[in-house]
Amino acid sequence: MKTATLQITFRSEDDPEQENEQDSENRLALSLSLATDQIVAYYGEEKSVFESGKPCFFKLSGLARNVSGDTIGTYQYQSTLGALSVLSDKMPDTVTEDLTFAYEREASLSQTPIGGFTGEWIGNSGGSFVVQGKTVRLAQPGVGILRCTYASYATILRLAGVTLPQGVEEIPVLVAAIAGERTAEQEVTYEQSADAESSETRDVELEVLDICTDDPVTGAKVYLDGELQDQTTDANGKITLSDLTVGQQYQLKVTATVDDGASGDYVSSDTDTLTNDWFIVEAQDDGEDDGGDE
């Protein structure tokens, strides 16, 4: 059983509020759940059980963020099977939470609003208020519960590469996130695909080209389901991916360095807007692989 672990550090530069944001990080509630919107967008329906070889999406909320919405501090995520990657670190999200005032003028939100803030007093009214960053400040000390709804961000994780061995019909996969002393977990079930009896494999040739010049890119690194391949692209910009399962979807990432040393590196394939972040292996030897960007 393989566990994929990755630690990412996000830090804002020249942010005078950074230290205070990090100090307050442990007060935030860390939440990990199935990313329903992304699952419906991908599959066309809600799902809680996923087939072998298919991706699953998770929403991670509660990470400390600065006033620009960027995550600060460190967090880790891991799974008992497959490979996890960040699909989006700033996915718009709606947060609803209650702030309690007991003869106080200020209270802190768990996230920094990026817009669309509304506040409604439940029961006793504490009067008028203003919002500055994560701070809600009353005109004067008050008593009451203020229900706050506002737009913020969440991190979307993608789980790929979960393949059940022959003879295993179902298996649970545990996904966990760790931020400081806080942890959040979510378990998802994978089952054997309907066509699991088919074990046909084939080689797929990948060609990497410069989109501006159409020239082949030599020495590009290729990641398949998060794993770096042993070889890089040759002088013709090509690499052979061996023994891929027919009908299975693979997550693809390509990175490369510009040869002239002056233009900087190419944009990673998973951060551009091209539809080349995944592909499905087709059975026809003379057919093209169906790929796209989700």
Side-chain angles (χ1 to χ4, degrees):
M1 183 176 295
K2 183 180 67 174
T3 301
T5 304
L6 177 65
Q7 183 176 18
I8 302 178
T9 301
F10 297 90
R11 188 169 287 112
S12 58
E13 299 179 356
D14 301 324
D15 185 353
E17 297 185 6
Q18 178 175 326
E19 184 175 352
N20 292 335
E21 294 280 1
Q22 290 173 328
D23 290 341
S24 66
E25 181 179 0
N26 288 332
R27 299 201 304 267
L28 307 182
L30 196 65
S31 173
L32 185 65
S33 60
L34 289 177
T36 304
D37 290 346
Q38 283 68 39
I39 291 173
V40 171
Y42 186 91
Y43 291 101
E45 61 179 347
E46 293 189 26
K47 294 178 68 70
S48 58
V49 178
F50 299 85
E51 287 190 359
S52 175
K54 299 294 185 179
C56 181
F57 305 91
F58 300 87
K59 181 171 74 171
L60 178 60
S61 304
L63 296 175
R65 297 178 183 270
N66 60 22
V67 294
S68 300
D70 300 318
T71 52
I72 60 175
T74 61
Y75 72 91
Q76 303 173 1
Y77 53 86
Q78 59 188 22
S79 64
T80 53
L81 284 176
L84 279 166
S85 60
V86 175
L87 183 66
S88 173
D89 193 49
K90 295 177 71 173
M91 180 65 67
D93 191 28
T94 299
V95 178
T96 299
E97 60 178 306
D98 294 340
L99 296 184
T100 301
F101 294 85
Y103 300 103
E104 299 165 323
R105 287 196 61 187
E106 295 182 356
S108 296
L109 299 165
S110 63
Q111 299 285 328
T112 301
I114 60 173
F117 185 94
T118 60
E120 179 183 0
W121 289 104
I122 302 175
N124 186 61
S125 175
S128 60
F129 59 86
V130 295
V131 181
Q132 296 178 332
K134 291 171 58 177
T135 301
V136 177
R137 183 175 292 109
L138 306 183
Q140 58 185 9
V143 177
I145 299 176
L146 182 64
R147 176 154 296 172
C148 306
T149 302
Y150 55 91
S152 186
Y153 291 113
T155 296
I156 304 299
L157 303 177
R158 173 180 174 139
L159 175 64
V162 177
T163 304
L164 275 63
Q166 293 293 327
V168 177
E169 295 299 324
E170 184 178 285
I171 193 169
V173 178
L174 182 65
V175 176
I178 304 170
E181 298 180 353
R182 301 168 302 142
T183 61
E185 297 179 348
Q186 176 69 42
E187 185 176 275
V188 63
T189 299
Y190 268 81
E191 63 182 9
Q192 197 65 263
S193 59
D195 57 352
E197 64 278 3
S198 173
S199 57
E200 180 184 355
T201 62
R202 58 167 291 196
D203 295 347
V204 173
E205 184 178 75
L206 176 70
E207 184 177 22
V208 182
L209 302 175
D210 187 310
I211 194 172
C212 296
T213 65
D214 210 31
D215 293 334
V217 177
T218 303
K221 296 180 180 179
V222 177
Y223 297 78
L224 206 60
D225 284 344
E227 294 187 7
L228 178 63
Q229 302 302 291
D230 294 334
Q231 299 178 337
T232 59
T233 54
D234 59 20
N236 296 316
K238 296 181 178 180
I239 182 175
T240 299
L241 306 175
S242 302
D243 298 326
L244 302 188
T245 302
V246 172
Q248 181 169 324
Q249 174 177 296
Y250 291 89
Q251 185 181 9
L252 179 68
K253 176 181 177 180
V254 180
T255 62
T257 302
V258 178
D259 292 336
D260 60 19
S263 304
D265 294 344
Y266 286 104
V267 175
S268 175
S269 66
D270 63 344
T271 58
D272 58 29
T273 58
L274 300 179
T275 56
N276 57 1
D277 291 345
W278 57 266
F279 64 94
I280 296 175
V281 181
E282 295 184 349
Q284 295 83 358
D285 290 338
D286 57 349
E288 295 181 353
D289 296 319
D290 182 22
D293 182 34
E294 291 294 322

PDB file of all heavy atoms in Angstrom, residues 142-178:
ATOM      1  N   GLY A 142     -21.853  45.360  22.934  1.00  0.00           N
ATOM      2  CA  GLY A 142     -23.199  44.809  22.843  1.00  0.00           C
ATOM      3  C   GLY A 142     -23.256  43.362  23.238  1.00  0.00           C
ATOM      4  O   GLY A 142     -22.222  42.717  23.480  1.00  0.00           O
ATOM      5  N   VAL A 143     -24.474  42.845  23.293  1.00  0.00           N
ATOM      6  CA  VAL A 143     -24.712  41.449  23.636  1.00  0.00           C
ATOM      7  C   VAL A 143     -25.596  40.848  22.557  1.00  0.00           C
ATOM      8  O   VAL A 143     -26.640  41.422  22.207  1.00  0.00           O
ATOM      9  CB  VAL A 143     -25.408  41.306  25.006  1.00  0.00           C
ATOM     10  CG1 VAL A 143     -25.698  39.828  25.300  1.00  0.00           C
ATOM     11  CG2 VAL A 143     -24.547  41.907  26.100  1.00  0.00           C
ATOM     12  N   GLY A 144     -25.199  39.705  22.030  1.00  0.00           N
ATOM     13  CA  GLY A 144     -26.014  39.050  21.015  1.00  0.00           C
ATOM     14  C   GLY A 144     -25.204  38.090  20.167  1.00  0.00           C
ATOM     15  O   GLY A 144     -23.980  37.980  20.311  1.00  0.00           O
ATOM     16  N   ILE A 145     -25.906  37.388  19.277  1.00  0.00           N
ATOM     17  CA  ILE A 145     -25.271  36.449  18.347  1.00  0.00           C
ATOM     18  C   ILE A 145     -25.483  36.978  16.932  1.00  0.00           C
ATOM     19  O   ILE A 145     -26.619  37.179  16.496  1.00  0.00           O
ATOM     20  CB  ILE A 145     -25.873  35.043  18.479  1.00  0.00           C
ATOM     21  CG1 ILE A 145     -25.638  34.507  19.893  1.00  0.00           C
ATOM     22  CG2 ILE A 145     -25.267  34.099  17.443  1.00  0.00           C
ATOM     23  CD1 ILE A 145     -26.285  33.160  20.140  1.00  0.00           C
ATOM     24  N   LEU A 146     -24.388  37.212  16.230  1.00  0.00           N
ATOM     25  CA  LEU A 146     -24.443  37.732  14.865  1.00  0.00           C
ATOM     26  C   LEU A 146     -24.133  36.599  13.895  1.00  0.00           C
ATOM     27  O   LEU A 146     -23.037  36.029  13.915  1.00  0.00           O
ATOM     28  CB  LEU A 146     -23.425  38.861  14.685  1.00  0.00           C
ATOM     29  CG  LEU A 146     -23.406  39.541  13.318  1.00  0.00           C
ATOM     30  CD1 LEU A 146     -24.723  40.256  13.052  1.00  0.00           C
ATOM     31  CD2 LEU A 146     -22.223  40.511  13.220  1.00  0.00           C
ATOM     32  N   ARG A 147     -25.116  36.247  13.077  1.00  0.00           N
ATOM     33  CA  ARG A 147     -24.910  35.206  12.058  1.00  0.00           C
ATOM     34  C   ARG A 147     -24.319  35.852  10.814  1.00  0.00           C
ATOM     35  O   ARG A 147     -24.940  36.699  10.179  1.00  0.00           O
ATOM     36  CB  ARG A 147     -26.209  34.495  11.733  1.00  0.00           C
ATOM     37  CG  ARG A 147     -26.105  33.454  10.616  1.00  0.00           C
ATOM     38  CD  ARG A 147     -27.152  32.380  10.753  1.00  0.00           C
ATOM     39  NE  ARG A 147     -26.958  31.614  11.986  1.00  0.00           N
ATOM     40  CZ  ARG A 147     -27.826  30.716  12.439  1.00  0.00           C
ATOM     41  NH1 ARG A 147     -28.945  30.489  11.771  1.00  0.00           N
ATOM     42  NH2 ARG A 147     -27.583  30.059  13.554  1.00  0.00           N
ATOM     43  N   CYS A 148     -23.109  35.436  10.475  1.00  0.00           N
ATOM     44  CA  CYS A 148     -22.363  36.048   9.374  1.00  0.00           C
ATOM     45  C   CYS A 148     -22.286  35.085   8.190  1.00  0.00           C
ATOM     46  O   CYS A 148     -21.978  33.901   8.363  1.00  0.00           O
ATOM     47  CB  CYS A 148     -20.947  36.403   9.828  1.00  0.00           C
ATOM     48  SG  CYS A 148     -20.882  37.439  11.309  1.00  0.00           S
ATOM     49  N   THR A 149     -22.569  35.598   7.019  1.00  0.00           N
ATOM     50  CA  THR A 149     -22.432  34.840   5.781  1.00  0.00           C
ATOM     51  C   THR A 149     -21.583  35.663   4.826  1.00  0.00           C
ATOM     52  O   THR A 149     -21.853  36.846   4.619  1.00  0.00           O
ATOM     53  CB  THR A 149     -23.797  34.541   5.149  1.00  0.00           C
ATOM     54  OG1 THR A 149     -24.609  33.821   6.086  1.00  0.00           O
ATOM     55  CG2 THR A 149     -23.643  33.716   3.884  1.00  0.00           C
ATOM     56  N   TYR A 150     -20.558  35.025   4.269  1.00  0.00           N
ATOM     57  CA  TYR A 150     -19.653  35.785   3.399  1.00  0.00           C
ATOM     58  C   TYR A 150     -18.916  34.843   2.453  1.00  0.00           C
ATOM     59  O   TYR A 150     -18.907  33.622   2.636  1.00  0.00           O
ATOM     60  CB  TYR A 150     -18.645  36.583   4.231  1.00  0.00           C
ATOM     61  CG  TYR A 150     -17.840  35.753   5.204  1.00  0.00           C
ATOM     62  CD1 TYR A 150     -16.612  35.196   4.845  1.00  0.00           C
ATOM     63  CD2 TYR A 150     -18.299  35.527   6.501  1.00  0.00           C
ATOM     64  CE1 TYR A 150     -15.873  34.450   5.733  1.00  0.00           C
ATOM     65  CE2 TYR A 150     -17.572  34.767   7.402  1.00  0.00           C
ATOM     66  CZ  TYR A 150     -16.358  34.233   7.016  1.00  0.00           C
ATOM     67  OH  TYR A 150     -15.626  33.481   7.903  1.00  0.00           O
ATOM     68  N   ALA A 151     -18.310  35.438   1.446  1.00  0.00           N
ATOM     69  CA  ALA A 151     -17.523  34.675   0.473  1.00  0.00           C
ATOM     70  C   ALA A 151     -16.091  34.567   0.959  1.00  0.00           C
ATOM     71  O   ALA A 151     -15.515  35.525   1.470  1.00  0.00           O
ATOM     72  CB  ALA A 151     -17.572  35.347  -0.890  1.00  0.00           C
ATOM     73  N   SER A 152     -15.517  33.390   0.803  1.00  0.00           N
ATOM     74  CA  SER A 152     -14.119  33.160   1.147  1.00  0.00           C
ATOM     75  C   SER A 152     -13.551  32.156   0.146  1.00  0.00           C
ATOM     76  O   SER A 152     -14.085  32.003  -0.952  1.00  0.00           O
ATOM     77  CB  SER A 152     -13.991  32.675   2.590  1.00  0.00           C
ATOM     78  OG  SER A 152     -12.616  32.590   2.961  1.00  0.00           O
ATOM     79  N   TYR A 153     -12.486  31.480   0.528  1.00  0.00           N
ATOM     80  CA  TYR A 153     -11.862  30.504  -0.367  1.00  0.00           C
ATOM     81  C   TYR A 153     -11.736  29.152   0.322  1.00  0.00           C
ATOM     82  O   TYR A 153     -11.658  29.059   1.550  1.00  0.00           O
ATOM     83  CB  TYR A 153     -10.445  30.950  -0.781  1.00  0.00           C
ATOM     84  CG  TYR A 153     -10.425  32.151  -1.690  1.00  0.00           C
ATOM     85  CD1 TYR A 153      -9.898  33.359  -1.250  1.00  0.00           C
ATOM     86  CD2 TYR A 153     -10.917  32.086  -2.992  1.00  0.00           C
ATOM     87  CE1 TYR A 153      -9.855  34.463  -2.081  1.00  0.00           C
ATOM     88  CE2 TYR A 153     -10.884  33.177  -3.827  1.00  0.00           C
ATOM     89  CZ  TYR A 153     -10.339  34.367  -3.369  1.00  0.00           C
ATOM     90  OH  TYR A 153     -10.306  35.458  -4.190  1.00  0.00           O
ATOM     91  N   ALA A 154     -11.701  28.110  -0.484  1.00  0.00           N
ATOM     92  CA  ALA A 154     -11.398  26.765  -0.019  1.00  0.00           C
ATOM     93  C   ALA A 154     -10.349  26.169  -0.948  1.00  0.00           C
ATOM     94  O   ALA A 154     -10.116  26.668  -2.056  1.00  0.00           O
ATOM     95  CB  ALA A 154     -12.650  25.894  -0.008  1.00  0.00           C
ATOM     96  N   THR A 155      -9.685  25.122  -0.500  1.00  0.00           N
ATOM     97  CA  THR A 155      -8.704  24.402  -1.309  1.00  0.00           C
ATOM     98  C   THR A 155      -9.344  23.111  -1.816  1.00  0.00           C
ATOM     99  O   THR A 155      -9.927  22.353  -1.038  1.00  0.00           O
ATOM    100  CB  THR A 155      -7.452  24.081  -0.486  1.00  0.00           C
ATOM    101  OG1 THR A 155      -6.810  25.302  -0.106  1.00  0.00           O
ATOM    102  CG2 THR A 155      -6.464  23.242  -1.291  1.00  0.00           C
ATOM    103  N   ILE A 156      -9.262  22.871  -3.124  1.00  0.00           N
ATOM    104  CA  ILE A 156      -9.823  21.662  -3.731  1.00  0.00           C
ATOM    105  C   ILE A 156      -8.688  20.678  -4.023  1.00  0.00           C
ATOM    106  O   ILE A 156      -7.725  21.017  -4.706  1.00  0.00           O
ATOM    107  CB  ILE A 156     -10.592  21.983  -5.027  1.00  0.00           C
ATOM    108  CG1 ILE A 156     -11.690  23.013  -4.749  1.00  0.00           C
ATOM    109  CG2 ILE A 156     -11.187  20.711  -5.607  1.00  0.00           C
ATOM    110  CD1 ILE A 156     -12.732  22.562  -3.744  1.00  0.00           C
ATOM    111  N   LEU A 157      -8.810  19.484  -3.467  1.00  0.00           N
ATOM    112  CA  LEU A 157      -7.830  18.425  -3.693  1.00  0.00           C
ATOM    113  C   LEU A 157      -8.404  17.382  -4.654  1.00  0.00           C
ATOM    114  O   LEU A 157      -9.598  17.111  -4.637  1.00  0.00           O
ATOM    115  CB  LEU A 157      -7.458  17.748  -2.373  1.00  0.00           C
ATOM    116  CG  LEU A 157      -6.912  18.654  -1.263  1.00  0.00           C
ATOM    117  CD1 LEU A 157      -6.667  17.843   0.003  1.00  0.00           C
ATOM    118  CD2 LEU A 157      -5.634  19.348  -1.703  1.00  0.00           C
ATOM    119  N   ARG A 158      -7.532  16.820  -5.448  1.00  0.00           N
ATOM    120  CA  ARG A 158      -7.931  15.771  -6.393  1.00  0.00           C
ATOM    121  C   ARG A 158      -7.174  14.495  -6.066  1.00  0.00           C
ATOM    122  O   ARG A 158      -5.941  14.509  -5.954  1.00  0.00           O
ATOM    123  CB  ARG A 158      -7.632  16.211  -7.824  1.00  0.00           C
ATOM    124  CG  ARG A 158      -7.868  15.112  -8.877  1.00  0.00           C
ATOM    125  CD  ARG A 158      -7.547  15.637 -10.256  1.00  0.00           C
ATOM    126  NE  ARG A 158      -7.638  14.556 -11.251  1.00  0.00           N
ATOM    127  CZ  ARG A 158      -8.161  14.687 -12.444  1.00  0.00           C
ATOM    128  NH1 ARG A 158      -8.659  15.851 -12.805  1.00  0.00           N
ATOM    129  NH2 ARG A 158      -8.200  13.700 -13.293  1.00  0.00           N
ATOM    130  N   LEU A 159      -7.908  13.415  -5.893  1.00  0.00           N
ATOM    131  CA  LEU A 159      -7.319  12.096  -5.650  1.00  0.00           C
ATOM    132  C   LEU A 159      -7.390  11.293  -6.938  1.00  0.00           C
ATOM    133  O   LEU A 159      -8.472  11.095  -7.499  1.00  0.00           O
ATOM    134  CB  LEU A 159      -8.068  11.373  -4.527  1.00  0.00           C
ATOM    135  CG  LEU A 159      -7.641   9.931  -4.229  1.00  0.00           C
ATOM    136  CD1 LEU A 159      -6.202   9.895  -3.723  1.00  0.00           C
ATOM    137  CD2 LEU A 159      -8.583   9.293  -3.218  1.00  0.00           C
ATOM    138  N   ALA A 160      -6.256  10.818  -7.408  1.00  0.00           N
ATOM    139  CA  ALA A 160      -6.200  10.044  -8.655  1.00  0.00           C
ATOM    140  C   ALA A 160      -5.291   8.837  -8.454  1.00  0.00           C
ATOM    141  O   ALA A 160      -4.522   8.769  -7.495  1.00  0.00           O
ATOM    142  CB  ALA A 160      -5.696  10.911  -9.805  1.00  0.00           C
ATOM    143  N   GLY A 161      -5.387   7.896  -9.382  1.00  0.00           N
ATOM    144  CA  GLY A 161      -4.479   6.755  -9.367  1.00  0.00           C
ATOM    145  C   GLY A 161      -4.844   5.660  -8.383  1.00  0.00           C
ATOM    146  O   GLY A 161      -3.998   4.813  -8.073  1.00  0.00           O
ATOM    147  N   VAL A 162      -6.085   5.645  -7.893  1.00  0.00           N
ATOM    148  CA  VAL A 162      -6.520   4.558  -7.007  1.00  0.00           C
ATOM    149  C   VAL A 162      -6.987   3.394  -7.886  1.00  0.00           C
ATOM    150  O   VAL A 162      -8.044   3.464  -8.511  1.00  0.00           O
ATOM    151  CB  VAL A 162      -7.653   5.007  -6.065  1.00  0.00           C
ATOM    152  CG1 VAL A 162      -8.123   3.835  -5.205  1.00  0.00           C
ATOM    153  CG2 VAL A 162      -7.182   6.156  -5.185  1.00  0.00           C
ATOM    154  N   THR A 163      -6.202   2.348  -7.936  1.00  0.00           N
ATOM    155  CA  THR A 163      -6.513   1.185  -8.768  1.00  0.00           C
ATOM    156  C   THR A 163      -6.593  -0.057  -7.895  1.00  0.00           C
ATOM    157  O   THR A 163      -5.620  -0.393  -7.212  1.00  0.00           O
ATOM    158  CB  THR A 163      -5.443   0.989  -9.855  1.00  0.00           C
ATOM    159  OG1 THR A 163      -5.337   2.192 -10.635  1.00  0.00           O
ATOM    160  CG2 THR A 163      -5.813  -0.157 -10.769  1.00  0.00           C
ATOM    161  N   LEU A 164      -7.732  -0.699  -7.895  1.00  0.00           N
ATOM    162  CA  LEU A 164      -7.915  -1.902  -7.088  1.00  0.00           C
ATOM    163  C   LEU A 164      -7.288  -3.106  -7.787  1.00  0.00           C
ATOM    164  O   LEU A 164      -7.464  -3.287  -8.997  1.00  0.00           O
ATOM    165  CB  LEU A 164      -9.391  -2.174  -6.835  1.00  0.00           C
ATOM    166  CG  LEU A 164     -10.041  -1.460  -5.644  1.00  0.00           C
ATOM    167  CD1 LEU A 164     -10.026   0.047  -5.841  1.00  0.00           C
ATOM    168  CD2 LEU A 164     -11.449  -1.957  -5.428  1.00  0.00           C
ATOM    169  N   PRO A 165      -6.555  -3.938  -7.057  1.00  0.00           N
ATOM    170  CA  PRO A 165      -5.994  -5.154  -7.665  1.00  0.00           C
ATOM    171  C   PRO A 165      -7.090  -6.150  -7.994  1.00  0.00           C
ATOM    172  O   PRO A 165      -8.197  -6.102  -7.433  1.00  0.00           O
ATOM    173  CB  PRO A 165      -5.059  -5.688  -6.561  1.00  0.00           C
ATOM    174  CG  PRO A 165      -5.591  -5.118  -5.294  1.00  0.00           C
ATOM    175  CD  PRO A 165      -6.180  -3.780  -5.643  1.00  0.00           C
ATOM    176  N   GLN A 166      -6.790  -7.074  -8.893  1.00  0.00           N
ATOM    177  CA  GLN A 166      -7.756  -8.095  -9.270  1.00  0.00           C
ATOM    178  C   GLN A 166      -8.170  -8.911  -8.040  1.00  0.00           C
ATOM    179  O   GLN A 166      -7.348  -9.250  -7.198  1.00  0.00           O
ATOM    180  CB  GLN A 166      -7.153  -9.026 -10.325  1.00  0.00           C
ATOM    181  CG  GLN A 166      -6.894  -8.347 -11.659  1.00  0.00           C
ATOM    182  CD  GLN A 166      -8.183  -7.943 -12.365  1.00  0.00           C
ATOM    183  OE1 GLN A 166      -9.190  -8.634 -12.237  1.00  0.00           O
ATOM    184  NE2 GLN A 166      -8.154  -6.859 -13.098  1.00  0.00           N
ATOM    185  N   GLY A 167      -9.454  -9.185  -7.921  1.00  0.00           N
ATOM    186  CA  GLY A 167      -9.958  -9.959  -6.805  1.00  0.00           C
ATOM    187  C   GLY A 167     -10.445  -9.128  -5.641  1.00  0.00           C
ATOM    188  O   GLY A 167     -11.112  -9.640  -4.749  1.00  0.00           O
ATOM    189  N   VAL A 168     -10.103  -7.835  -5.619  1.00  0.00           N
ATOM    190  CA  VAL A 168     -10.568  -6.937  -4.556  1.00  0.00           C
ATOM    191  C   VAL A 168     -11.760  -6.160  -5.083  1.00  0.00           C
ATOM    192  O   VAL A 168     -11.636  -5.397  -6.044  1.00  0.00           O
ATOM    193  CB  VAL A 168      -9.449  -5.979  -4.109  1.00  0.00           C
ATOM    194  CG1 VAL A 168      -9.973  -5.004  -3.060  1.00  0.00           C
ATOM    195  CG2 VAL A 168      -8.266  -6.758  -3.561  1.00  0.00           C
ATOM    196  N   GLU A 169     -12.911  -6.359  -4.487  1.00  0.00           N
ATOM    197  CA  GLU A 169     -14.133  -5.733  -4.984  1.00  0.00           C
ATOM    198  C   GLU A 169     -14.336  -4.318  -4.449  1.00  0.00           C
ATOM    199  O   GLU A 169     -14.901  -3.466  -5.128  1.00  0.00           O
ATOM    200  CB  GLU A 169     -15.347  -6.587  -4.609  1.00  0.00           C
ATOM    201  CG  GLU A 169     -15.361  -7.955  -5.268  1.00  0.00           C
ATOM    202  CD  GLU A 169     -15.401  -7.858  -6.785  1.00  0.00           C
ATOM    203  OE1 GLU A 169     -16.063  -6.929  -7.302  1.00  0.00           O
ATOM    204  OE2 GLU A 169     -14.771  -8.704  -7.457  1.00  0.00           O
ATOM    205  N   GLU A 170     -13.873  -4.059  -3.223  1.00  0.00           N
ATOM    206  CA  GLU A 170     -14.128  -2.746  -2.601  1.00  0.00           C
ATOM    207  C   GLU A 170     -13.053  -2.470  -1.569  1.00  0.00           C
ATOM    208  O   GLU A 170     -12.572  -3.391  -0.901  1.00  0.00           O
ATOM    209  CB  GLU A 170     -15.511  -2.760  -1.941  1.00  0.00           C
ATOM    210  CG  GLU A 170     -15.943  -1.436  -1.350  1.00  0.00           C
ATOM    211  CD  GLU A 170     -17.342  -1.504  -0.757  1.00  0.00           C
ATOM    212  OE1 GLU A 170     -18.313  -1.522  -1.531  1.00  0.00           O
ATOM    213  OE2 GLU A 170     -17.447  -1.569   0.490  1.00  0.00           O
ATOM    214  N   ILE A 171     -12.693  -1.197  -1.431  1.00  0.00           N
ATOM    215  CA  ILE A 171     -11.670  -0.829  -0.450  1.00  0.00           C
ATOM    216  C   ILE A 171     -11.897   0.617  -0.004  1.00  0.00           C
ATOM    217  O   ILE A 171     -12.243   1.480  -0.822  1.00  0.00           O
ATOM    218  CB  ILE A 171     -10.252  -1.007  -1.035  1.00  0.00           C
ATOM    219  CG1 ILE A 171      -9.202  -0.934   0.072  1.00  0.00           C
ATOM    220  CG2 ILE A 171      -9.958   0.031  -2.110  1.00  0.00           C
ATOM    221  CD1 ILE A 171      -7.817  -1.358  -0.395  1.00  0.00           C
ATOM    222  N   PRO A 172     -11.744   0.921   1.301  1.00  0.00           N
ATOM    223  CA  PRO A 172     -11.855   2.302   1.757  1.00  0.00           C
ATOM    224  C   PRO A 172     -10.517   3.025   1.584  1.00  0.00           C
ATOM    225  O   PRO A 172      -9.451   2.430   1.763  1.00  0.00           O
ATOM    226  CB  PRO A 172     -12.213   2.161   3.240  1.00  0.00           C
ATOM    227  CG  PRO A 172     -11.576   0.872   3.637  1.00  0.00           C
ATOM    228  CD  PRO A 172     -11.637  -0.028   2.437  1.00  0.00           C
ATOM    229  N   VAL A 173     -10.576   4.287   1.235  1.00  0.00           N
ATOM    230  CA  VAL A 173      -9.389   5.118   1.103  1.00  0.00           C
ATOM    231  C   VAL A 173      -9.541   6.292   2.067  1.00  0.00           C
ATOM    232  O   VAL A 173     -10.548   7.010   2.024  1.00  0.00           O
ATOM    233  CB  VAL A 173      -9.203   5.640  -0.336  1.00  0.00           C
ATOM    234  CG1 VAL A 173      -7.974   6.537  -0.425  1.00  0.00           C
ATOM    235  CG2 VAL A 173      -9.083   4.469  -1.305  1.00  0.00           C
ATOM    236  N   LEU A 174      -8.575   6.475   2.933  1.00  0.00           N
ATOM    237  CA  LEU A 174      -8.617   7.550   3.917  1.00  0.00           C
ATOM    238  C   LEU A 174      -7.764   8.717   3.445  1.00  0.00           C
ATOM    239  O   LEU A 174      -6.596   8.542   3.091  1.00  0.00           O
ATOM    240  CB  LEU A 174      -8.109   7.057   5.275  1.00  0.00           C
ATOM    241  CG  LEU A 174      -8.145   8.076   6.425  1.00  0.00           C
ATOM    242  CD1 LEU A 174      -9.589   8.450   6.753  1.00  0.00           C
ATOM    243  CD2 LEU A 174      -7.423   7.534   7.650  1.00  0.00           C
ATOM    244  N   VAL A 175      -8.352   9.903   3.415  1.00  0.00           N
ATOM    245  CA  VAL A 175      -7.646  11.127   3.064  1.00  0.00           C
ATOM    246  C   VAL A 175      -7.581  12.004   4.309  1.00  0.00           C
ATOM    247  O   VAL A 175      -8.583  12.163   5.014  1.00  0.00           O
ATOM    248  CB  VAL A 175      -8.360  11.878   1.918  1.00  0.00           C
ATOM    249  CG1 VAL A 175      -7.676  13.199   1.615  1.00  0.00           C
ATOM    250  CG2 VAL A 175      -8.400  11.004   0.673  1.00  0.00           C
ATOM    251  N   ALA A 176      -6.409  12.538   4.596  1.00  0.00           N
ATOM    252  CA  ALA A 176      -6.226  13.344   5.801  1.00  0.00           C
ATOM    253  C   ALA A 176      -5.503  14.636   5.468  1.00  0.00           C
ATOM    254  O   ALA A 176      -4.668  14.692   4.561  1.00  0.00           O
ATOM    255  CB  ALA A 176      -5.444  12.566   6.855  1.00  0.00           C
ATOM    256  N   ALA A 177      -5.837  15.693   6.198  1.00  0.00           N
ATOM    257  CA  ALA A 177      -5.163  16.981   6.081  1.00  0.00           C
ATOM    258  C   ALA A 177      -4.675  17.386   7.466  1.00  0.00           C
ATOM    259  O   ALA A 177      -5.363  17.174   8.469  1.00  0.00           O
ATOM    260  CB  ALA A 177      -6.103  18.047   5.519  1.00  0.00           C
ATOM    261  N   ILE A 178      -3.477  17.964   7.521  1.00  0.00           N
ATOM    262  CA  ILE A 178      -2.879  18.383   8.785  1.00  0.00           C
ATOM    263  C   ILE A 178      -2.387  19.811   8.633  1.00  0.00           C
ATOM    264  O   ILE A 178      -1.664  20.134   7.692  1.00  0.00           O
ATOM    265  CB  ILE A 178      -1.701  17.470   9.172  1.00  0.00           C
ATOM    266  CG1 ILE A 178      -2.147  16.010   9.219  1.00  0.00           C
ATOM    267  CG2 ILE A 178      -1.101  17.891  10.506  1.00  0.00           C
ATOM    268  CD1 ILE A 178      -0.997  15.027   9.355  1.00  0.00           C
TER     269      ILE A 178
END
